[in-house]
Amino acid sequence: MTYPTSKHKMLAFFCSFSLYSLKKRLIPLLLLLSTLLATGSGAAEPIRVASKIDTEGGLLGNLVVYALESHGLPIENKVSMAASNIVRNALVAGEVDLYPDYTGNGAFFSQTPQDSVWKDWKAGYEAIKAYDAQKHQLVWLTPSPANNTWAIAVSGQLAEQQQLKTLDDFARYINNGGQVKLAGSAEFVDSPLALPSFQDSYGFQLAEDQLLVLSGGNTAATIQAAATGINGTNAAMAYGTDGAIAAAGLIVLDDPKGAQAVYAPAPVVRAETLKAYPQIETILTPVFASLDRQTLQKLNEQIQVIGKPAHQVAKAYLLEKGFIKP
Amino acid sequence: MNRILLSLTAMLFLAVSLLPFVHFSLNRFIGGEAKSLFSLSSYGYVLLLGISLLLLPAIFWQSLGNYRASFITLGITLGLFAVIFALLSTTSHGLMTTATPIARVTIGSAFWLSFVSLCLILLDSWQRLPRHHFIFISVLFLLFFLLSSAFTQQAFDSLSLIKEYRNHQNRFITALTDHLYLVFIAFLPTAILGLSLGGLAWRYPRVNRSFFALLNLLQTIPSLALFALLMLPLAWLANRYPSLQALGISGIGLAPSVIALVVYTLLPLARNTHTGLGGVPPDTRQAAMAMGMTQRQIFYQVTLPLALPMILSGMRIVIVQLIGLTVVAALIGAGGLGIFVWEGLGQYALDLVLLGALPTLVLAVLADLCLQGLIKLAQPLPSSSLDEPR
């Protein structure tokens, strides 16, 4: 809990500001000195663990926090801290020490979105690991054997009627004039890595009136749209490890041609922090290795569909797998 | 006839009879099935009957007399508040007894509309009885007391909204205090800067045009963009000068949020200060000068008190805006009630969104009411009352 202390510092700062205007110059100086002294003499610096403010961010962040805490490491909990690009910038700027991100995002971080290296689990991991180590002194630990990539899910009814299992089936259905309306975010529809990549790989084309674009929409909103059939929607953008797909009665279509980049979740930590606490790697590697696609879907479902708090789900999982002791 | 009361009664009646009172869904994610009040409870008709009682004061307002009609309305409204909350509690418990624990009961539009209409009816009778503030304030406290005691008796625990609260109970208190703290910390510099800048703009009219143009321009920056823009320079400053870091300055969290909030709320306060000071009639100041007051006395004893209501209404805008804008600050790691809003949007869990949004709304309304009271107190006395001995 360092939030209160930073609050006190700000309070001291603003107090000193207003007192200064009253021309009492001694007090603010003393206040300033005392805050400086108070922060200078600390014990070991805690590891500032952050995560993104989405469902899986809350889950992965809490897994990291509990796993490290149970080994006696000092933690400053900043889980579900902020929007994703802000967490990344905070890590690069050294404002947080560790957060879970996805290997596929390396395409954006290194600004090489066309590179096919991101479509391979291992090569993508090696690529971003090398890039961040050299450029930002960050270490990517071993990622999970899961892929939270963009996917297309269709309503269970449609999948059953038309025998849709893979994106090849989906393309065949569309090209035969099948009725489709797909809900997606603006980014999913426009980004060359997402829908256009599916269309190129499988040879289909969705017209404008076959798309329901939810600008700024997330997969929860698109899945909801397909589940309720708003405006005739029967397909949705989804993520591979989404927890709500099954609950909404949707089926994820397989991507046998690997049209999408692989988004494997992995802890990213500042090299400096890892040097101070080398045990981080040995603690987190088995935890992340245990998180395959089904496990992540199940855990996300408990948060999103059943409504359990993320910290509770994370702790129960670590206990069940024996990563932490009760 | 009281047209306002009549139309609010009609709204209540239509809402309860036509709209869903609650929604029932099998889990937190999938959409719910709408349930009307009458399909759930035979007491639904009692509520309709109670609502039609309001027709009596609404139609015969003048013949009953303002005083008596207001009190009859107040009594019926209090009863109706009790009935809608009791129905919410019993129907939600009833639905959950036969359902799996992961099923959810969400509050429907009939309840929300009735609640809002009843609040408006209360406000309407309050305005018609301007000398009885004490009674209405005690009514508000009574309602609050009844609701909170029902809440501690777990009367609403079957509702999805309360389930979200129970699940996030520990974080809720932190989020609420973080929120209030952020508003407070951002208000101090806004007040100091806004008052002094507004005063300067009034004192030196030449600068005021470009100054307000600048503040207007700042208002047009989208809030998330401003938060994000502040991040990099602040992080750089904090890394460069460790003493700033020791003061809590960093690229995420408090520092960028407070700066962005101050930038947004400077305009209303500076503008109202400027307008308030400029609105003092010159002949009043001349009269003060003729009485031999010094410049300093004129400013502190004549100009400032006359401008005070305008300045306070600027503060009112500032505080209400701050309470709302702080929700966005959660996206850059400053915490506050916004964390529930953004997490809820990410999970399509509208009750989690409400867990953040409703307290924000209540805070804003409370702050607004308090400041309205302050503004009334600061209002100069009407000239007739100056003649009477006080």
Side-chain angles (χ1 to χ4, degrees), chain A residues 3 7 9 82 95 303 305 307, chain B residues 28 167 178 181 246 251 331 334:
Chain A
Y3 224 31
K7 280 176 188 174
K9 283 175 222 156
E95 308 242 313
I303 299 172
V305 180
Chain B
R28 185 167 174 253
N167 279 339
D178 280 355
Y181 181 79
L331 284 179

Side-chain angles (χ1 to χ4, degrees), chain B residues 17 33 52 103 130 219 247 251 256 305 316 318 325 341 345 347 357 377:
Chain B
S17 34
E33 181 191 342
S52 32
Q219 290 266 317
L247 281 170
R316 178 180 153 207
V318 165
L325 273 173
V341 174
L345 282 175
Q347 303 177 8
L377 287 179

Side-chain angles (χ1 to χ4, degrees), chain A residues 3-288:
Chain A
Y3 224 31
T5 60
S6 68
K7 280 176 188 174
H8 295 144
K9 283 175 222 156
M10 286 300 281
L11 195 62
F13 177 68
F14 286 115
C15 285
S16 62
F17 183 73
S18 57
L19 286 173
Y20 203 83
S21 61
L22 292 171
K23 294 177 186 163
K24 292 178 185 165
R25 290 167 193 235
L26 201 62
I27 301 168
L29 263 178
L30 284 175
L31 268 171
L32 246 168
L33 266 177
S34 64
T35 49
L36 285 179
L37 284 175
T39 47
S41 60
E45 289 280 310
I47 308 164
R48 295 163 295 176
V49 177
S51 76
K52 306 176 183 192
I53 201 165
D54 56 27
T55 310
E56 198 163 277
L59 173 74
L60 297 172
N62 276 299
L63 285 171
V64 171
V65 166
Y66 282 123
L68 296 182
E69 241 173 18
S70 73
H71 286 79
L73 299 186
I75 299 290
E76 186 179 332
N77 189 337
K78 287 177 175 282
V79 166
S80 299
M81 182 180 79
S84 63
N85 54 341
I86 290 190
V87 188
R88 162 78 185 180
N89 284 338
L91 185 79
V92 170
E95 308 242 313
V96 298
D97 299 316
L98 191 162
Y99 86 101
D101 206 330
Y102 300 94
T103 53
N105 281 333
F108 302 101
F109 300 154
S110 61
Q111 285 163 0
T112 53
Q114 302 301 341
D115 200 328
S116 63
V117 74
W118 308 112
K119 296 185 178 178
D120 184 80
W121 188 90
K122 191 156 168 48
Y125 166 59
E126 299 295 348
I128 185 58
K129 188 181 179 180
Y131 175 84
D132 264 354
Q134 191 241 329
K135 193 114 188 187
H136 298 296
Q137 286 78 50
L138 302 177
V139 181
W140 283 68
L141 303 180
T142 315
S144 295
N147 183 4
N148 196 8
T149 187
W150 267 319
I152 292 179
V154 295
S155 74
Q157 201 190 352
L158 178 70
E160 200 178 327
Q161 277 171 4
Q162 302 295 332
Q163 302 281 310
L164 304 184
K165 284 202 174 68
T166 67
L167 283 162
D168 280 316
D169 302 334
F170 188 63
R172 173 178 43 81
Y173 173 64
I174 292 172
N175 293 334
N176 289 341
Q179 195 271 322
V180 164
K181 187 143 192 175
L182 182 136
S185 67
E187 193 193 357
F188 177 76
V189 171
D190 294 333
S191 161
L193 291 175
L195 184 62
S197 170
F198 279 129
Q199 294 185 145
D200 290 346
S201 304
Y202 291 95
F204 66 94
Q205 187 70 40
L206 287 175
E208 222 158 88
D209 62 341
Q210 290 176 303
L211 291 168
L212 176 70
V213 180
L214 306 169
S215 54
N218 50 31
T219 58
T222 57
I223 291 172
Q224 188 85 24
T228 48
I230 295 173
N231 293 0
T233 309
N234 56 6
M237 142 189 122
Y239 291 133
T241 58
D242 245 311
I245 296 172
L250 302 187
I251 308 282
V252 178
L253 297 174
D254 284 334
D255 176 13
K257 290 184 182 162
Q260 288 300 306
V262 173
Y263 286 76
V268 192
V269 55
R270 294 187 330 116
E272 212 176 299
T273 313
L274 191 62
K275 209 170 141 197
Y277 298 102
Q279 60 272 54
I280 291 177
E281 182 159 16
T282 46
I283 298 169
L284 292 185
T285 301
V287 174
F288 273 74

Side-chain angles (χ1 to χ4, degrees), chain B residues 214-242:
Chain B
L214 175 70
L215 285 188
N216 266 326
L217 190 75
L218 289 176
Q219 290 266 317
T220 60
I221 308 174
S223 50
L224 188 56
L226 183 59
F227 282 128
L229 278 178
L230 284 168
M231 219 180 91
L232 288 177
L234 281 172
W236 181 80
L237 277 176
N239 277 344
R240 186 79 199 275
Y241 304 102

Side-chain angles (χ1 to χ4, degrees), chain B residues 41 98 107 157 215 259 306 326 339 374:
Chain B
S41 166
T98 52
I107 304 172
D157 278 25
L215 285 188
I259 294 175
L306 285 174
T326 300
I339 54 174
L374 265 185

